[in-house]
Amino acid sequence: MATAAKTLGILPRPTAATGFWSWVATVDHKRIGILYGVTAFFFFLVGGIEAWLMRLQLARPGLELVTAKTFNALFTMHATTMIFLGVMPLLAAFMNYLLPLLIGARDVAFPRLNAFSYWIYLFGGIFINVGWLMGTAAGHVPDSGWFGYANLTSVEFSGGLGPDFWTLGLLLLGIGTLVSGFNFIVTILNMRAPGMSLMKMPIFVWTILVTSAIIIFAFPSVTVALIMLMFDRAFAANFFEVAAGGSVVFYQHLFWTFGHPEVYILILPAMGIVSEVLPVHARKMLFGYSVMVFSTALIGFMGFTVWSHHMFTVGMGPVVNSIFSLTTMAIAVPTGVKIFNWLSTMWGGQIRFTTAMLFAIGFIACFTIGGLSGFMHASAPSDAQQHDTYFVVAHIHYVLIGGSIFAIFSGIYHWFPKVFGRLLDERLGQWNFWLVFAGFHTFAFPFHFLGLLGMPRRIYTYAPGLGWEFWNLLSTIGVFVLAAGILVFIANVVVTMRKPMDAPADPWDGRTLEWTLPSPPPVYNFAVVPRVHLRDAFWFHKHPEGKEQALEYGEPHPGPIHLPGQSLMPVLLALGPTVAATGVLFVRMRESFAVPVIVAGFVIALLALWGWAFEGEGGTLIEPGEGS
Amino acid sequence: MAHHAHETNTGIDNRKLGFWLFIASESIFFACLLVGYLVYKDGYQPGAGPRDLFNIELTTVSTFVLLMSSLAMVLGVNAAQRNLGRKARRWVLVTALMGLAFLGFQAYEFTHFYHAGLSLSSSVFGTAFYTLTGFHGAHVAVGVIWLLTLLYHGRGAGLTADKADDVEVAGLYWHFVDIVWIVLFTVLYLLEFVQ
């Protein structure tokens, strides 16, 4: 790595290139991506342990390993953790690390905001989990379901602090997610390498663009719902107090106008990852690129037209139910188009069954099953039967594990050498895949049968003789196999990280710009930003098919490259709202020092913003050269 | 942050584009709060309702002040772009003062309503009204702080052309908050009195 030359700007910014504070103050999208990845994987394990405890409890009828209240806390925190602290940030890790590399940019549009997103995500994640330290019995762990339906969450029915940790924590997380959304859209629209028109972008970039658009339009409605809930609980407002004329169905509408698009926030980037992995390991161009682009955009739009299918049993009437049935079923069209495009991409390709490829193929298989059960829910009468049974649980696990998690593992194996300069062990990788694949189906497929046998979701135990024993036991065994697969993955990472950094720049014969860089890439990404003439430009640069030049390198940048300076303001700015949220928690506890704490939070945020605005451009000048 | 500004694919400055996206997102935020108000506005029994409480003349005046503040903001942005630093600074100051005046009107209105028996907990109407207008007021307050920061930024030579983008982005925010108020004023106050 080049040496930091000189610091620009008025106020000094931190400059340490290594050590703890260099990570706290970093604004480099690659380091932020790694921070996201490690933190999210930790939370993913926490969510997994919560799932494991639930499966132990349900292994046999009549077990009393955990109390009903703890079970409620477990299923609530499992879903909340997996969705908001695990899968979304794992995908954000890919977006952060790869987006600038994929489009030939030196960083994202707003590096400091990017760091802020991470820190507020971390604080929000901790905030939601604090209740565990206070014990589940008093209701201080969120235990009203991941949707937090009013009036399960009203003070009357949830007197503990659980829903307060949940609403305030999610509000913090939402801020970070929104900021990432703005940041990514601006980066994609404004900072592509010369010649890379929108229709020449890697498909993963397209899915990031559409996902970010969904984020900025979907998160406001849940923000409003959470604010209303918080007002009801902390300030005795009446939004969802039925006795005062409040409407709990209004909460559901607000929640699901976010909640359904959220599903696509979780799956579109996963689809993007798979769409990058498949062509590389099948050594073929992605089939139907433009159709993939339009189906992505269409799914993004249609995601907003279907929220009421989560409320078929609320009693909205046959007309509303029919309309939302139709719009929901219509989403199967662009989704099906994608599946057939992936299959066509593999058709006739020179497929290498690497671990990354296995997970990508596994994704297609599992996600298709999840899509089919989704289509069954789309029919309102059928949904009325399946509602709140394990059939729904089967569906969400097939799209979220079989979909998002498989794609994430595929992406990890694919890009690990780029990020850490070492290739993950393929032999352990195969064990990893097959254990996860077998474990996942053993654990989640029985949910279909349990659902059809009428087992309701969210029950903490059940009586014997209902025909549920076998499938529940099988499912619990599956969790152990799945967990073994995850442990193999962790072992793989540990073993690999002990090896020397010897990964080549382009281990898979890749197609996109990140593979033109050394592994890991230099801090400035591209010493010379290439001019792009074709889709998959790097591939055609290596394997020219016609006369047209695919990639073109201009003259090197004259003089050193300016990189944005490190800053402590993002972490401070993230601290402000966290302190304010703690203050609101104290309001709820009727503590006398609540208001001063809220004020302190705002003061911290203001000071951070002040520092942000006036700490100067800062930055370091780096002489490109080494390794590129 | 600004070092990429001169060479973006769209030709639009990063911060400006980011801000338009923020505004798009905030529009949904206010739309959801407004829907909440419309769902709940008739739920004021046994307390006083909108027609008993609203002082349309007073709110018209405060709305006019906020509208005019947008004019002052435009003049400020224009002056900054023409490198008239001190003039720009003066108009930004006027904008901030008008924003403060609007907040004063709102504080008066809230106090008045509160004494007439309407509170956040008195009815769903009260809940929805204070939340919606309160969030708008909070946005105005953030805008005022922002403008004051700009004034500090422009101490000395004023808000000269090199700071024109800073002024313009603040202006985008200010106009947005103003437009939201026009919608709120129309839906909450004016339409309430349409027969």
Side-chain angles (χ1 to χ4, degrees):
Chain A
M1 193 168 288
T3 46
K6 74 175 206 194
T7 306
L8 310 167
I10 314 156
L11 292 174
R13 295 213 205 187
T15 49
T18 52
F20 176 75
W21 288 103
S22 73
W23 284 87
V24 176
T26 188
V27 295
D28 178 9
H29 72 94
K30 295 185 287 299
R31 284 188 154 203
I32 293 166
I34 293 170
L35 285 172
Y36 259 111
V38 172
T39 315
F41 192 77
F42 169 76
F43 280 120
F44 172 70
L45 293 181
V46 171
I49 290 167
E50 284 156 357
W52 176 71
L53 287 170
M54 281 190 285
R55 278 319 317 169
L56 283 182
Q57 162 69 18
L58 291 171
R60 306 290 307 147
L63 286 182
E64 289 284 352
L65 292 176
V66 296
T67 61
K69 193 142 184 78
T70 304
F71 192 85
N72 290 351
L74 284 172
F75 74 65
T76 302
M77 286 306 291
H78 165 66
T80 304
T81 304
M82 284 304 193
I83 292 170
F84 295 106
L85 308 178
V87 173
M88 259 174 95
L90 275 171
L91 294 166
F94 284 96
M95 299 182 190
N96 271 293
Y97 197 97
L98 292 168
L99 173 57
L101 301 178
L102 287 166
I103 62 172
R106 292 224 161 91
D107 207 327
V108 292
F110 308 110
R112 283 184 294 176
L113 278 182
N114 209 23
F116 166 73
S117 298
Y118 169 73
W119 291 110
I120 201 156
Y121 151 62
L122 178 67
F123 295 159
I126 295 170
F127 196 95
I128 292 187
N129 278 287
V130 166
W132 285 117
L133 306 175
M134 304 166 71
T136 54
H140 295 323
V141 187
D143 59 358
S144 318
W146 81 275
F147 35 77
Y149 280 167
N151 49 11
L152 282 177
T153 43
S154 66
V155 177
E156 188 184 353
F157 301 110
S158 293
L161 294 175
D164 303 291
F165 282 120
W166 187 80
T167 43
L168 294 163
L170 284 187
L171 280 170
L172 294 175
L173 294 172
I175 299 171
T177 313
L178 275 166
V179 166
S180 287
F182 303 134
N183 207 346
F184 291 151
I185 298 181
V186 174
T187 306
I188 294 169
L189 293 184
N190 265 356
M191 297 172 69
R192 282 163 285 129
M196 185 185 276
S197 63
L198 289 178
M199 291 307 276
K200 287 189 187 119
M201 294 194 307
I203 195 81
F204 184 33
V205 177
W206 262 107
T207 61
I208 298 174
L209 181 64
V210 174
T211 305
S212 304
I214 299 176
I215 285 171
I216 71 169
F217 291 118
F219 266 68
S221 66
V222 76
T223 306
V224 167
L226 293 171
I227 286 172
M228 289 175 169
L229 210 50
M230 175 187 100
F231 273 32
D232 274 11
R233 289 182 60 87
F235 307 115
N238 296 314
F239 282 111
F240 310 120
E241 293 300 324
V242 178
S247 162
V248 290
V249 176
F250 179 54
Y251 178 88
Q252 295 196 23
H253 280 294
L254 281 179
F255 185 83
W256 289 115
T257 41
F258 146 80
H260 197 82
E262 167 72 17
V263 172
Y264 297 102
I265 297 173
L266 295 167
I267 199 66
L268 280 178
M271 290 171 162
I273 289 171
V274 166
S275 305
E276 294 299 333
V277 171
L278 280 173
V280 170
H281 296 262
R283 304 176 65 83
K284 261 184 76 191
M285 204 167 188
L286 181 70
F287 184 86
Y289 172 90
S290 43
V291 182
M292 283 295 228
V293 169
F294 291 121
S295 64
T296 303
L298 200 57
I299 290 173
F301 173 76
M302 290 165 91
F304 285 92
T305 64
V306 302
W307 79 90
S308 283
H309 72 213
H310 294 266
M311 302 161 65
F312 278 157
T313 56
V314 162
M316 295 174 300
V319 175
V320 174
N321 282 2
S322 305
I323 291 169
F324 280 94
S325 274
L326 287 173
T327 54
T328 304
M329 290 180 181
I331 291 197
V333 176
T335 314
V337 162
K338 278 180 174 295
I339 304 231
F340 284 108
N341 273 315
W342 290 319
L343 296 179
S344 307
T345 303
M346 288 192 287
W347 187 278
Q350 298 163 269
I351 298 177
R352 291 171 294 179
F353 288 100
T354 55
T355 312
M357 187 63 167
L358 286 176
F359 271 110
I361 297 170
F363 164 92
I364 301 174
C366 304
F367 183 75
T368 304
I369 298 175
L372 291 174
S373 59
F375 199 81
M376 292 160 82
H377 299 304
S379 163
S382 151
D383 180 80
Q385 293 298 313
Q386 296 149 6
H387 182 73
D388 271 348
T389 69
Y390 264 75
F391 202 82
V392 181
V393 185
H395 167 69
I396 192 168
H397 285 87
Y398 266 86
V399 288
L400 268 188
I401 302 183
S404 305
I405 296 289
F406 271 60
I408 285 166
F409 273 111
S410 173
I412 290 175
Y413 277 90
H414 186 67
W415 278 298
F416 198 89
K418 181 52 62 193
V419 178
F420 295 106
R422 304 163 174 95
L423 280 148
L424 281 169
D425 187 90
E426 274 295 312
R427 204 170 48 89
L428 284 173
Q430 302 270 330
W431 275 99
N432 176 190
F433 169 75
W434 287 109
L435 283 170
V436 166
F437 189 77
F440 164 63
H441 285 289
T442 316
F443 127 77
F445 205 80
F447 288 174
H448 291 106
F449 303 121
L450 285 170
L452 295 177
L453 290 167
M455 178 165 162
R457 61 202 288 201
R458 307 187 192 107
I459 52 167
Y460 86 108
T461 192
Y462 52 94
L466 295 165
W468 302 345
E469 288 105 319
F470 172 73
W471 297 118
N472 269 308
L473 184 63
L474 187 66
S475 172
T476 304
I477 293 169
V479 166
F480 279 90
V481 181
L482 179 62
I486 303 291
L487 289 178
V488 170
F489 169 74
I490 295 170
N492 198 349
V493 171
V494 171
V495 169
T496 304
M497 289 305 280
R498 286 157 164 260
K499 289 193 250 177
M501 287 212 268
D502 58 355
D506 182 20
W508 314 115
D509 200 6
R511 316 179 72 91
T512 35
L513 291 180
E514 77 275 26
W515 304 111
T516 64
L517 300 173
S519 306
V523 64
Y524 45 81
N525 292 355
F526 296 87
V528 183
V529 176
R531 173 171 284 277
V532 176
H533 292 289
L534 293 172
R535 210 175 284 155
D536 284 348
F538 184 44
W539 172 268
F540 290 108
H541 180 67
K542 293 181 291 187
H543 310 281
E545 286 180 357
K547 284 184 194 140
E548 193 180 356
Q549 202 179 1
L551 269 188
E552 190 185 332
Y553 288 93
E555 286 300 306
H557 191 274
I561 294 171
H562 173 242
L563 289 171
Q566 300 184 334
S567 173
L568 289 171
M569 295 309 149
V571 66
L572 266 181
L573 185 59
L575 191 65
T578 312
V579 171
T582 314
V584 177
L585 201 69
F586 290 140
V587 172
R588 170 70 184 89
M589 294 159 78
R590 304 283 174 261
E591 295 281 4
S592 53
F593 48 83
V595 174
V597 174
I598 296 179
V599 172
F602 279 109
V603 170
I604 293 171
L606 268 179
L607 288 175
L609 279 172
W610 186 264
W612 189 298
F614 294 110
E615 71 180 344
E617 191 177 15
T620 43
L621 295 171
I622 284 190
E623 229 26 91
E626 293 106 291
S628 61
Chain B
M1 265 205 277
H3 58 280
H4 290 293
H6 50 288
E7 41 177 301
T8 65
N9 295 99
T10 56
I12 305 168
D13 175 72
N14 278 349
R15 278 186 309 166
K16 253 190 257 177
L17 184 58
F19 225 82
W20 278 112
L21 294 168
F22 172 75
I23 287 172
S25 186
E26 284 278 280
S27 303
I28 308 280
F29 177 82
F30 277 108
C32 290
L33 282 174
L34 185 60
V35 168
Y37 177 81
L38 291 175
V39 169
Y40 291 140
K41 75 183 177 69
D42 297 323
Y44 51 82
Q45 302 292 353
R51 287 191 194 200
D52 314 313
L53 293 167
F54 289 170
N55 181 342
I56 193 90
E57 292 82 5
L58 184 84
T59 314
T60 306
V61 173
S62 80
T63 303
F64 181 75
V65 170
L66 195 64
L67 269 175
M68 287 302 108
S69 78
S70 252
L71 175 64
M73 192 72 228
V74 170
L75 293 170
V77 173
N78 185 269
Q81 285 165 344
R82 289 189 295 148
N83 202 23
L84 304 170
R86 285 170 189 285
K87 194 173 176 190
R89 198 160 177 264
R90 209 155 47 233
W91 280 120
V92 169
L93 178 66
V94 172
T95 312
L97 290 176
M98 286 170 132
L100 278 176
F102 176 83
L103 287 174
F105 276 110
Q106 192 172 37
Y108 171 80
E109 195 182 35
F110 275 24
T111 323
H112 183 70
F113 290 176
Y114 184 76
H115 288 305
L118 189 75
S119 74
L120 194 65
S121 347
S122 65
S123 63
V124 274
F125 164 65
T127 295
F129 173 81
Y130 284 116
T131 307
L132 174 58
T133 55
F135 265 99
H136 178 265
H139 277 72
V140 176
V142 168
V144 169
I145 294 171
W146 190 345
L147 295 177
L148 295 177
T149 312
L150 269 184
L151 292 176
Y152 175 82
H153 193 36
R155 67 199 184 280
L159 295 164
T160 42
D162 58 318
K163 301 180 187 78
D165 276 354
D166 297 336
V167 186
E168 195 181 342
V169 173
L172 281 179
Y173 177 81
W174 194 260
H175 297 317
F176 168 69
V177 170
D178 197 352
I179 289 166
V180 168
W181 182 254
I182 293 172
V183 174
L184 298 195
F185 180 63
T186 309
V187 175
L188 270 63
Y189 294 82
L190 294 183
L191 289 183
E192 194 59 45
F193 293 92
V194 172
Q195 292 301 317

